[in-house]
Amino acid sequence: MKVLMKGNEALGEAAIRAGCRHFFGYPITPQTELAAYMSKRMPKIGGTYLQAESEIAAVNMVLGASAAGVRAMTSSSSPGISLKSEGISYMAGSDLPALIINVQRGGPGLGGIQPSQADYWQATKATGHGDFQVLVFAPSTVQEMVDLVSDAFDTADRWRMPAMILADGMLGQMMEPVELPEEGEHASTEKPWAANGHSNKREHNIINSLYLTPDKLEELVVERYKRYEQVKATEQRAEEYLCDDADVIIVAYGASSRVARSAVNKAREKGGKVGLLRPITLWPFPTGALQKAAGHAKAFLTVEMSMGQMVDDVKLAIDCRVPVHFFGRTGGIIPTPGEVLAEVEKLL
Amino acid sequence: MKVLMKGNEALGEAAIRAGCRHFFGYPITPQTELAAYMSKRMPKIGGTYLQAESEIAAVNMVLGASAAGVRAMTSSSSPGISLKSEGISYMAGSDLPALIINVQRGGPGLGGIQPSQADYWQATKATGHGDFQVLVFAPSTVQEMVDLVSDAFDTADRWRMPAMILADGMLGQMMEPVELPEEGEHASTEKPWAANGHSNKREHNIINSLYLTPDKLEELVVERYKRYEQVKATEQRAEEYLCDDADVIIVAYGASSRVARSAVNKAREKGGKVGLLRPITLWPFPTGALQKAAGHAKAFLTVEMSMGQMVDDVKLAIDCRVPVHFFGRTGGIIPTPGEVLAEVEKLL
Amino acid sequence: MATIFQKPHALTDAPLHYCPGCTHGIVHRLVAQAIDELGVEGRTVGVASVGCSVMCYDYFACDMVQAPHGRAQAVATGLKRAKPDNVIFTYQGDGDLAAIGTAETVHAATRGENLTVIFINNAIYGMTGGQMAPTSLPGQITQTTPYGRDTDTAGYPVKVCELLSTLDGVAFAQRVTVDCVKNVNIARKAIKKAFQNQLDGKGYSIVEVLSTCPTNWGLTPVESLEWLRENMIPYYPLGVYKDIDAGVKKGGASQ
Amino acid sequence: MATIFQKPHALTDAPLHYCPGCTHGIVHRLVAQAIDELGVEGRTVGVASVGCSVMCYDYFACDMVQAPHGRAQAVATGLKRAKPDNVIFTYQGDGDLAAIGTAETVHAATRGENLTVIFINNAIYGMTGGQMAPTSLPGQITQTTPYGRDTDTAGYPVKVCELLSTLDGVAFAQRVTVDCVKNVNIARKAIKKAFQNQLDGKGYSIVEVLSTCPTNWGLTPVESLEWLRENMIPYYPLGVYKDIDAGVKKGGASQ
Amino acid sequence: MPKITVDESVCKGCGLCANACPLKIISLDTGRLNLKGYHPARLMEPGRCTGCASCAAMCPDTAITVEK
Amino acid sequence: MPKITVDESVCKGCGLCANACPLKIISLDTGRLNLKGYHPARLMEPGRCTGCASCAAMCPDTAITVEK
Amino acid sequence: MVFAGFGGQGVLFAGKVAAYAGLIKGKEISWLPSYGPEMRGGTANCSVCISDEPIGSPLITAPNYLIAMNLPSLERFIDGVEPGGTVILDSSLIDREISRGDITVYRVPSSRLAEENGLTGLSNMILVGKLFHELGFCTDEVLDEAMQKCIPQRKAAMLELNRRAVALGARQ
Amino acid sequence: MVFAGFGGQGVLFAGKVAAYAGLIKGKEISWLPSYGPEMRGGTANCSVCISDEPIGSPLITAPNYLIAMNLPSLERFIDGVEPGGTVILDSSLIDREISRGDITVYRVPSSRLAEENGLTGLSNMILVGKLFHELGFCTDEVLDEAMQKCIPQRKAAMLELNRRAVALGARQ
Ligand SMILES: Cc1ncc(C[n+]2csc(CCOP(=O)(O)OP(=O)(O)O)c2C)c(N)n1
Ligand SMILES: Cc1ncc(C[n+]2csc(CCOP(=O)(O)OP(=O)(O)O)c2C)c(N)n1
Ligand code: SF4
Ligand code: SF4
Ligand code: SF4
Ligand code: SF4
Ligand code: SF4
Ligand code: SF4
Ligand SMILES: [Mg+2]
Ligand SMILES: [Mg+2]
């Protein structure tokens, strides 16, 4: 039978089952249950739970563990993710895989502790300084959190880049029934590049992001962007819900996509041709699915728990061919299906 | 007569003349001359130069000084700006003005020390977590660095928000003749909100970004975004160079705009109708100027020292009405006018 | 009939949000008393840190600034350098001051920044629900050390007064507690001295207050005081660790 | 004829980029010698920090990881927790270890993380062109203390061995220098011991090496050694500050 | 005669005052709940109070005023 | 007879070896510049070298090999 | 359904038992806690959705069932209760009259009952008993299984007390 | 124009003097340093633009004038020199032949001259002297003023030496 688990705890258990034995964290609401869960489980299975002195230390411990070739992760919430941004940029610049979880809360600053999606831009465009991307997964149910954890680890290993799960306080705190995968189902990846001792059998490995010769640095960045193009071509994911005949398509991810789904149902009950396109990967952004949808939809509406961030990516994905509207609540407020329905009806 | 100054030093002197007496920094190439300059000047004029233990400490000292009502600044380069991101988000969330200077270098990670523009997204979309913006000024000459410093301070005070000068290693390191303003020409702003002691004459002031009630937090964020709309309406700035009759308009800021200008001149010599639109404010983005230009131009070309970031904002500004192309070099490489010319000619 | 004990002026009327019996409240009052007694409310600016006391900006009647987690002393440095005549204090928990804020603490101290630092050591992260703090005792059960703090993997507690006393910039460091009236009085004097030092330009003064967290310790308020006496005080000896006036340096345990 | 002194195996053939006479190079050799002597090159992973020695990943023949500025010990912690059988060392400057990396240093130390830390104290930020370091001496002229380090505004130097010896997790802390053959030999032994301790699972071992920066001190290499002897050694006494084997704790200055 | 006043609206029934009173004459009024849901402290034997203010000194919520 | 070899290609002419040699028999060859533009160190009186390796111990660039 | 009260009254636990019962019955379910702005000792409530369809927003603003354990919670949610909905409240702590006529209200003096029956702290489960009795959506066995899921083995004694509380509630 | 050499040879200073001369003449000018990938003791060079028009990119890849103070610098820039351009090099450190016929090359043994004339370290200014002599774009007075701008008052003695070096260079 399925078990009822909090999203935060499910993330932890899923990571363990995906072979992660190294968790480095620092407490912050609303993700504390994840660290608490790891601190209970890891000692039992010979893994490492380490409560670092700060988010910065935690992300750099992940950098070290990942450099050694193991699956490593850290988690935090918005202000803590800002602090991790330098380290994430280093991991990207060093081609290191890792899993970073952001259980977003209201911002800016200390903000609040209620759910938010206002770190979308940070996650998808500028997790840190410089030219780079991280994989960004946006689960919308506790079950999907479980599933995406192992996908995120696998994808990160495959492309040698950091992956982020962009969740929020609602998903982290809520309980839903989940089915957990058997442990060890994940593909274990060879990491010949890892810095784990050369045993006098090979040249020394160097994990590094410093390149003082601009040509060399450019070459590496360009190479990385070629990889990103492959990632874009192969890893885009989105769910389409009643989109085929829809005149208006709501685009929403994570917590707000659940609200949007209810709104779609209500609209359909009233006969409105409304669909939901739910990005599962935010980077790479599901441009393909959006372009397809733009072929028949008359309008898009993004529903976000922010002042409007993904809306721009939707416009860009469809070259502004169809009007894209925005509805959002922020500061920790979860919109209601009724509010969303009202917005949608304006567009029908 | 004008004096020859390095961009970094000019920034320092301009800040002093704009009434800034509090500089908190941490060394990093290629902005070290700015801190060195301040450490020489400040003690002579009764100001504070404080070399903090880290970028994080520095930005939070700025937060404190700004909370006390004085003009305060910090400067760094790319990795250091990532570290400041939490503090910048706090300042935005606390409605504190301040000046942050980013003399960008190649990234990601430790990257290199040559000029770059790869922190554009970070500066304009996600200087930190949560819904907020900072003012972003992009000088292209040493003189303009001087001029924009005082504008940045004034604008930051006016709108109670942090301002960033997004420069790069080239502008920071190069010398050009500058004319410095007389000191005290700047408008000094009343700051009744400052936490500098109530002298038993008023209620206590609180500088804070924590709002545990989502409604309250949302209300404040929405209020702030209304202010942002006013900022967008009044503070957009761009320079147009030979745009009026141009078929192809290059959009470039800062260092790369200088290269672009040379390319425009070369193109004009050959009879090509090419212009340059140079954003001076990157946030607010000069949407107005771009829309006007989109009225007659057949194509846009953004020239950036990155893998392409501003290009999206150009598309959004003109609703993708005209094709927008991108040419960039990254990793610390400054494109040559010849390269840019070649790209432009493809579009003529 | 004279009022011999009442709410100090430097505390506002806002009711404190702390859990019943949490000694944060006592320390708040002692800080306010010091401000009252020195007559500096009008030129005092407090820095609230992130921890249970984050909202102390509502409780102290002086101007207040809320700082990012761990950065209170950097913020305080900015405030003080901007307005040297103001009286600046920080109010910080153990997670804030001794974990994420370690660098800011050590460097404000070594700079001899002319500040008053009130440090609440309750051996736990109160606000986030009871995780291990840098000062949690060996063996202590917390949310993130469910089997007790194992020094092999989670390390040893940081003794802040001992650590900071090695730094030249520190003028005054005393560890106190508020478990009984006698100790409350000692704490009151220490806190007042830490403010007086700032007025006298003596430099960095820190008062570490061993404090309770009934909620996350899982004890009643009164049991908490006992636990503090039996477990914390032996590990964190009370006393003056440094006082440039008195010449006391390191390990002196005279009260 | 036997070779009695040559480049250690654990140093690659890449020529060092350091300025002429910079003692970073001597310390590199001593670290490599320790790795050679203990025969652990194949399972050693070094952590390069950000400072003049940032490119030491090219010089040490073991696997290497380049860490963000100040975070070398956090990175090392990750490496060690991932592969406890590997030998992990960090190589850090004073800006890296004692300014921006203060929290990471104090906490790796208090956790008793089983690491070897090589700490190059040259009283300056070498790589960025000679700014004040946390260890710059009072009165020292640097790029950012053009009138000499004024302790009133720029504070006092941080004495790392003294500070860390107060922490329970520290197994071994010794301050050495490399100004002459005798001291180079002492340094060699200290560094080897700091590695041996890790093999023995003793916990955190740090060797602080007083080092020169001829370029930013504005002196010749030979003059730099003299300046170090005359100015740094008196301020930073050499010796073992902590050794859990020998029972030495704090202030012991025996070599 | 010394007098103490407990501000019931802010009292949280923590009992630290009761614990501190040398005469044990102040205690929680288990019969009543204040608006916050706590049993407020009450001086049981007003006549014996010495006004030593021990209770007030230990009250985290500064709920007690002492007059003498 | 003890012998030292200076790898001139890496020597930076810093003079620390010369400063360390108890016999002062190694010094910088001011007459020559290596490819990096430095005056490399040279053993001036090979016969007197005791092979004490002081020079090598102080050389930051490990430019000196000592045989005995 | 919404369970609401002070932190410490066990509203989250009560909601969890309800959620598990739904799960055992093969329904789609979700459980979402929410705390008041006070971090400590404030109000706490949880939204539990039990449905045949996948659950959209787990946050309930218009509950069909409201279990209210104190006055502030009642006041916060009462107006939102769906017409035709049900309110179960602890009448020993809440003495307000409810003026809405379009909903069913059950007043159970659960705190008092708990005290009187040696079930201190299980006022929440008394209300759960009442809820499931009225709900009639699952058998006693299912509810019992749900409680077993929510109470760890090593607290078996608690299970017994919980059972008694639920049974007591069902009889009100 | 590009001034190139090792760090420490004073190429940046030489460029600054040239830039100031341009400034005094009322030209648009820019000065941009660049260092090799080595942080210490590597190559250093600077691009100086003097123009009647506002200066676009201050980075010069195809200089009209190249002042080369060592071999690596010469090799790095020689192919880029504009046809018709001028190269002035320190022939005491550079003995390479230059095969391009479309440029003018002046070989000044400036390091040796400096040593011989008690102007150690001013090899750079000897080359500047030569440059301005060939350039002919400003009077000696302007160049002198430029030097005054670049040398702080308290180093007046240095100024004299610099003047001598420039004069010496102009005579080569
Ligand atoms: C950057 C950042 N990291 C983490 C948090 C979450 N957080 C809030 S309070 C706190 C610790 C509180 O503990 P302490 O400082 O000991 O204060 P107490 O609550 O015990 O009084 C943490 C980790 C945060 N708000 N910001
Ligand atoms: C986050 C960040 N801040 C600042 C820098 C710039 N930086 C590079 S090295 C360095 C300090 C070097 O000094 P130290 O650690 O003492 O090493 P040294 O060069 O003296 O050996 C600094 C501040 C950086 N690279 N990253
Ligand atoms: S959680 Fe602990 S420290 Fe925080 S208010 Fe409650 S008792 Fe006090
Ligand atoms: S700058 Fe100083 S520390 Fe760095 S290599 Fe040169 S001499 Fe050594
Ligand atoms: S004043 Fe003293 S005697 Fe009176 S109630 Fe309080 S503690 Fe007891
Ligand atoms: S100490 Fe204060 S809050 Fe606690 S019971 Fe007594 S009066 Fe009430
Ligand atoms: S010490 Fe080494 S680098 Fe220095 S001069 Fe001697 S051989 Fe050359
Ligand atoms: S080995 Fe000894 S004697 Fe021989 S040159 Fe070196 S230092 Fe001098
Ligand atoms: Mg605490
Ligand atoms: Mg240093």
Side-chain angles (χ1 to χ4, degrees), chain E residues 6 10-18 28 41 55 58-61 63-64:
Chain E
V6 177
V10 299
C11 171
K12 291 180 187 145
C14 70
L16 294 192
C17 51
L28 301 188
C55 52
M58 287 303 292
C59 176
D61 291 276
I64 303 178

Side-chain angles (χ1 to χ4, degrees), chain A residues 26-29 32 51 54-55 76-81 83 105 109-110 113, chain B residues 86 90 129, chain C residues 18 22 24 49-54 68-71 91-100 119-129 131-135 211-213 216, chain G residues 39-40:
Chain A
Y26 188 79
I28 188 167
T29 311
T32 37
Q51 185 177 309
S54 71
E55 288 85 356
S76 191
S77 178
S78 312
I81 298 292
L83 289 170
R105 56 191 253 179
L110 190 48
I113 57 173
Chain B
E86 189 206 23
Y90 266 76
H129 60 282
Chain C
Y18 302 105
C22 172
H24 261 303
S49 68
V50 181
C52 277
S53 56
V54 62
H69 189 36
R71 321 304 174 190
Y91 188 102
Q92 305 176 256
D94 38 17
D96 193 85
L97 180 142
I100 190 170
F119 168 39
I120 305 296
N121 179 357
N122 58 7
I124 202 101
Y125 282 35
M127 189 194 205
T128 40
Q131 296 79 19
M132 181 188 83
T135 53
S211 192
T212 64
C213 177
N216 289 304
Chain G
M39 280 149 295
R40 308 277 148 230

Side-chain angles (χ1 to χ4, degrees), chain D residues 44-65:
Chain D
T44 296
V45 183
V47 181
S49 67
V50 181
C52 277
S53 56
V54 62
M55 293 196 297
C56 72
Y57 50 73
D58 280 336
Y59 309 143
F60 292 113
C62 56
D63 281 0
M64 294 292 298
V65 180

Side-chain angles (χ1 to χ4, degrees), chain A residues 3-22:
Chain A
V3 287
L4 261 189
M5 277 184 116
K6 276 199 166 195
N8 282 333
E9 294 171 345
L11 287 169
E13 185 58 35
I16 287 171
R17 299 200 182 198
C20 173
R21 289 293 175 278
H22 295 86

Side-chain angles (χ1 to χ4, degrees), chain C residues 17 19 55 126-127, chain G residues 37-41:
Chain C
H17 72 281
C19 306
M55 293 195 299
M127 189 194 205
Chain G
E38 321 77 20
M39 280 149 295
R40 308 277 148 230

Side-chain angles (χ1 to χ4, degrees), chain B residues 135-148:
Chain B
L135 297 158
V136 185
F137 294 88
S140 69
T141 64
V142 177
Q143 182 66 53
E144 200 175 22
M145 284 170 108
V146 168
D147 300 340
L148 290 181

Side-chain angles (χ1 to χ4, degrees), chain B residues 87-146:
Chain B
I88 296 172
S89 175
Y90 266 76
M91 288 199 279
S94 308
D95 296 316
L96 288 175
L99 179 58
I100 300 116
I101 290 175
N102 183 358
V103 184
Q104 298 168 91
R105 55 191 253 179
L110 190 48
I113 56 173
Q114 304 297 332
S116 159
Q117 298 179 326
D119 301 346
Y120 175 91
W121 270 340
Q122 191 186 45
T124 58
K125 309 243 181 289
T127 332
H129 60 282
D131 284 306
F132 74 94
Q133 297 289 351
V134 300
L135 297 158
V136 185
F137 294 88
S140 69
T141 64
V142 177
Q143 182 66 53
E144 200 175 22
M145 284 170 108
V146 168

